[in-house]
Amino acid sequence: MAVDRRGFLKFVAGATTGVLATPVPWKLLDDVSIWTQNWPWIPRNVDGENSYVSTISKLCPSAAGMKVRLVGPRPVRVLPDDNHPLSMGGITALAAAEVQLMYSPSRVKRPLKHAGDGAFVAISWEEAEKMLKENLRRAGSKVAYVSGDETGTINELLSGMAKESGSEDFYVMPSEVQPAARAFASMNGNGQLGYDIENSDYVFAIGANILESWGTVLRNRAAYKNSHPAAEKPTVKFVYAGPVQNNTAAGSDEWLPAKSGTEAIVAMGIANLLIKAGATIDAPDFAEFKALAAQFTPQKVAALAGVTPAKLKAITAELSKAKRPVVLTGSEFGQGTGVATVLAGTAVNMLLGGFGREGGVTAIPLAPKVIASGMDRAEIADKDLVAYLSRISAGKVATPRAMVFYEANPVYGLPQPAAMAKVMDKVPFKVAFTSFLDETAEACDLILPTPLGLERFDDVESPYGINQAFYGLARPVAPCVIDGKPAADVLLGVAGQLNMDLGFETFEEVLQAKAEAAGADWDSLMEGEFFTSDAVAEQSDLRIAADVIGKALAAAPKPAKLSIAPVQKLNIGTPNTAIPPYNNKTIRRWELQKNEMYVAMNGATARELGVVKHQRIKLSNSSGSIQARVNIFEGVMPNTIAVLMGFGHTAFDEFSKGKGENVMELLTVGYEAGTGQSVWNVAGVNVSKA
Amino acid sequence: METKEFTIKWGMAIDLDKCTGCGACMVACQAENNLAPIADASNKIKVMNWITVYELSNGKPYPEHDVAYLPRPCQQCGHPPCVSVCPVIATDKNEEGGIVSQVTPRCIGCRYCMAACPYHARYFNWRDPVWPGGLEKALTPDVSVRPRGVVEKCTFCHHRWMAAKDKAIVEGRDPMDLAEGEYVTSCTEACPNGAITFGDLNNEDHEVAKLASSKYAHRLLERLGADTQVYYVSRREWVLRQLDNYLEDEKVKG
Ligand code: SF4
């Protein structure tokens, strides 16, 4: 049969219609798309029954309360806990990643020891414990313990072991806790300062990064949430004073630019204006304080802190008008501030009638210690790790023979980390109890893997900032996924073999005793309940400690011409966690590009320095130097360079290692006059083109 | 094009004055919806995020500068530009609740929807997902893992709605009459500032419906007419102004 052109076209048209009408090609396309997605390496969903366990985070510095969702035996999510005073229906970007951190590629999976050639070799727990015991025995009293935990009773155990072996060297990694505790102690205070943000009607944070990282953040943020109804005028005004328009400034109703490290000066400026308006404090050293405050005229505050006199007066007027104002002071990056900062802030609260008043400052009682030879929180706060390492470096105290690091990462997290690491290098035996292979672990001779807070029993007592006494347990929600042992159990075992008398056989007994000392009911704690108490710590002979403030401020370092403002964000992790796998997506575009970090400055500063956006620069000072690219952000004070913390890890995994550089390299340690507290909240820097 | 009407219309109101840019919502979203982590997340075009938090600036120099953060999930358009271009109906706006679906096994990876979406809410799997170090053991059973070659996006945690309906049915209640808060997305739940309000836009009693009718509520690129189900609330004029393209002398409502 011959086919003419018309016939052929008819056939083509028919065939096309046929193809379109039959479902076969569509079905094939559908099948192809499904089959090409069925690869064996794509994980399948594993179902199971849902259950939820209430617990508390030992990884997030805010001690976030949380509910862990399990599917069958597997924890899969960290969820907020509406009923928990340290969650109040919210979760931090760090705590939200905690389940996933169980499987972090950086987890130490078994005990490791440093072989001669620098490599790590896996050893058995038996061998590891023997090595630990022998080295501690050999070191005798020449041993130092460093803890990265601020709220756990394990600190009593660690300090008890130090003391039992004749050493006073137990330290906690520096934070806001030490200066606050020392400040209150110098006021003759009893207990721990707490801030009743939720009942306040005017919240003024000087430095303290209260909506991101300061204190019990989720509680702060819940107070913010409740006082800022959506689409309505806020019922409570939040004001933030600091050098950078950070996350707290972004949420606050007003940002008051103030230079890094000048928190005490701003507070004194306000105190001066309040006193002039007739405010007083019923304290023996008020006259002295008044005379001191008088020096901090609005002009002087403007010169030192960069706060305009008009703004200072306006904020003071608003504070006086408020019925229940509260002032919170701290470092905008959570460490390195002096005792005077907290003292000056507390004095302002007292001038505002806020001490012991609802919506003001309270003193909460702390539970007594349960390990007799251990140190209590007040004693611990007096121990200054940075000062200790500096003294070793200067040859003023002997280098210990052994150092025990408990979930602490000083090699990364201390100011001038290279200098600090050099000191630690001299220590013949170092052991790290850690969940992750961090910088400090890499510098140790022995690495002992600890279960995460989700895999062990642990406790949290009244984190700094909370306005009521608190006690709660972290409970294991799942078996430990690595061959880890809780540090407390290992240490108690070793202590027993070294004939130390700590009074307890197991850590559970320690926790039970602590719970009882706190007034909590063990059984309900074990069910995920927590203990809170509205009891306040009794005070007598409270003073302002004007002399301490006076001495510190008389010798305070002058702000540099060009200074560094470190910026802390919980999503980027802590020295202990580094950047959790899910969290590096939260890093902004102009904070990090590939492995290069950005630092931020305003346009005027950039013009003055002759640099433009994306330009590579070198920041250096006497402590060290880092390289970065320039980002222009107008929310930075003039002559200030905002540098994110949390970059520049040399350990951990592909999610953190080698990304950017560590701002701690640029932070220079100084000592507060009078108190001797190590401080590093003022750092000058030079910029050159790289 | 007519907007398809539903009895229930799930929606969000995000208060841009309350968001501080902490990123908790982004982390919660990834863990809930089984997104894979990525070692270099700085190439924002290739990074998968169902919700992403953008930084906004009022553009003024120091000290007049102001900053805001804008969390951007899928806007769940009333007439979604992505749906009309999908050749295989892998994405549709057809189900009660008004959530724009995304049926990844059906997706052929042509990415027309990505080009059509005005909000950059859609992401393409350029690579197979990798969960290092056993991280796949923390996957939830709620959302299947997507392979290389398909597009994905925020589903308003649709599985949570299914679960809430199932629960209601088991308890002998009407699954179409859930109490406010019984179904919320993971980001809503996580946000410590309460910046995100979630609920039924068609239910006058729901907070989200009230917020959506506030004079401070705007939608992203509202004048494109996509009729989105995500509202942004701000009492700051400069913030509202950035949600759409306004002429210099044009007034912004609110
Ligand atoms: S969790 Fe809330 S405050 Fe944080 S970025 Fe998301 S919406 Fe903003």
Side-chain angles (χ1 to χ4, degrees), chain B:
Chain B
M1 195 165 84
E2 276 300 294
T3 305
K4 189 158 185 167
E5 278 311 328
F6 302 99
T7 317
I8 296 174
K9 198 157 86 179
W10 295 115
M12 241 179 220
I14 305 180
D15 190 331
L16 300 179
D17 299 343
K18 287 178 83 171
C19 173
T20 51
C22 72
C25 50
M26 287 177 70
V27 177
C29 169
Q30 293 174 71
E32 177 82 12
N33 292 298
N34 296 334
L35 274 81
I38 178 167
D40 177 14
S42 69
N43 181 346
K44 299 298 178 196
I45 293 173
K46 298 223 164 153
V47 165
M48 321 277 301
N49 278 318
W50 289 12
I51 182 167
T52 221
V53 180
Y54 292 102
E55 183 183 292
L56 307 181
S57 159
N58 69 349
K60 294 200 177 150
Y62 175 88
E64 261 85 57
H65 186 257
D66 198 6
V67 67
Y69 293 97
L70 184 144
R72 194 250 36 229
C74 169
Q75 307 288 300
Q76 315 295 356
C77 301
H79 18 92
C82 54
V83 167
S84 50
V85 297
C86 180
V88 292
I89 322 180
T91 183
D92 202 1
K93 175 102 175 177
N94 213 356
E95 193 195 341
E96 187 50 64
I99 296 171
V100 176
S101 65
Q102 181 68 19
V103 188
T104 45
R106 203 182 275 164
C107 174
I108 55 170
C110 72
R111 285 168 278 153
Y112 286 180
C113 56
M114 288 177 68
C117 174
Y119 303 108
H120 294 280
R122 295 179 156 273
Y123 292 83
F124 183 63
N125 284 277
W126 291 97
R127 311 181 188 91
D128 270 328
V130 181
W131 278 271
L135 200 62
E136 75 276 1
K137 293 195 197 76
L139 292 174
T140 70
D142 311 325
V143 183
S144 38
V145 164
R146 290 76 58 190
R148 172 181 58 193
V150 301
V151 172
E152 59 185 66
K153 69 159 190 88
C154 155
T155 62
F156 267 4
C157 293
H158 183 268
H159 58 279
R160 287 186 168 217
W161 187 29
M162 311 279 272
K165 281 198 289 190
D166 286 352
K167 185 160 174 273
I169 291 167
V170 168
E171 288 168 5
R173 291 181 289 128
D174 178 2
M176 292 300 284
D177 189 21
L178 298 176
E180 187 170 10
E182 253 191 284
Y183 157 45
V184 294
T185 64
S186 176
C187 53
T188 307
E189 176 188 64
C191 178
N193 293 6
I196 309 177
T197 306
F198 185 83
D200 179 6
L201 288 166
N202 284 346
N203 186 335
E204 280 169 18
D205 295 334
H206 278 202
E207 193 56 34
V208 71
K210 291 178 204 156
L211 287 174
S213 59
S214 152
K215 66 174 175 172
Y216 300 118
H218 284 221
R219 289 182 281 179
L220 264 189
L221 302 175
E222 188 151 359
R223 295 185 287 191
L224 277 182
D227 192 22
T228 61
Q229 281 162 222
V230 177
Y231 288 78
Y232 289 96
V233 176
S234 177
R235 294 169 63 246
R236 290 177 282 185
E237 201 261 356
W238 75 262
V239 173
L240 295 178
R241 186 166 276 279
Q242 295 200 7
L243 303 183
D244 212 331
N245 297 304
Y246 290 97
L247 298 173
E248 226 167 85
D249 51 1
E250 199 177 351
K251 268 212 131 4
V252 177
K253 84 165 164 98

Side-chain angles (χ1 to χ4, degrees), chain A residues 157-177:
Chain A
L157 175 62
L158 295 162
S159 55
M161 286 183 72
K163 286 209 168 187
E164 287 282 327
S165 50
S167 161
E168 290 291 319
D169 293 317
F170 169 74
Y171 303 90
V172 175
M173 287 291 284
S175 69
E176 303 271 10
V177 175

Side-chain angles (χ1 to χ4, degrees), chain A residues 219-292:
Chain A
R219 207 191 110 241
N220 305 345
R221 294 180 70 176
Y224 170 79
K225 161 167 77 180
N226 296 334
S227 60
H228 286 67
E232 281 172 41
K233 202 165 170 271
T235 55
V236 173
K237 184 166 177 179
F238 276 60
V239 181
Y240 173 73
V244 182
Q245 206 165 38
N246 59 8
N247 289 0
T248 298
S252 292
D253 305 290
E254 186 174 338
W255 171 45
L256 181 70
K259 286 185 194 161
S260 247
T262 63
E263 296 82 13
I265 291 161
V266 175
M268 290 305 283
I270 289 172
N272 176 35
L273 292 173
L274 287 172
I275 293 171
K276 276 201 173 146
T280 59
I281 303 171
D282 180 16
D285 55 348
F286 177 63
E288 192 183 340
F289 180 74
K290 187 177 169 182
L292 177 66

Side-chain angles (χ1 to χ4, degrees), chain A residues 258-333:
Chain A
K259 286 185 194 161
S260 247
T262 63
E263 296 82 13
I265 291 161
V266 175
M268 290 305 283
I270 289 172
N272 176 35
L273 292 173
L274 287 172
I275 293 171
K276 276 201 173 146
T280 59
I281 303 171
D282 180 16
D285 55 348
F286 177 63
E288 192 183 340
F289 180 74
K290 187 177 169 182
L292 177 66
Q295 297 173 18
F296 292 88
T297 59
Q299 290 67 30
K300 183 163 174 184
V301 174
L304 293 174
V307 177
T308 61
K311 284 255 182 172
L312 195 74
K313 284 179 190 160
I315 299 279
T316 310
E318 288 176 2
L319 279 168
S320 331
K321 236 177 78 196
K323 288 200 177 62
R324 297 181 308 279
V326 67
V327 175
L328 306 106
T329 47
S331 150
E332 76 270 12
F333 59 106

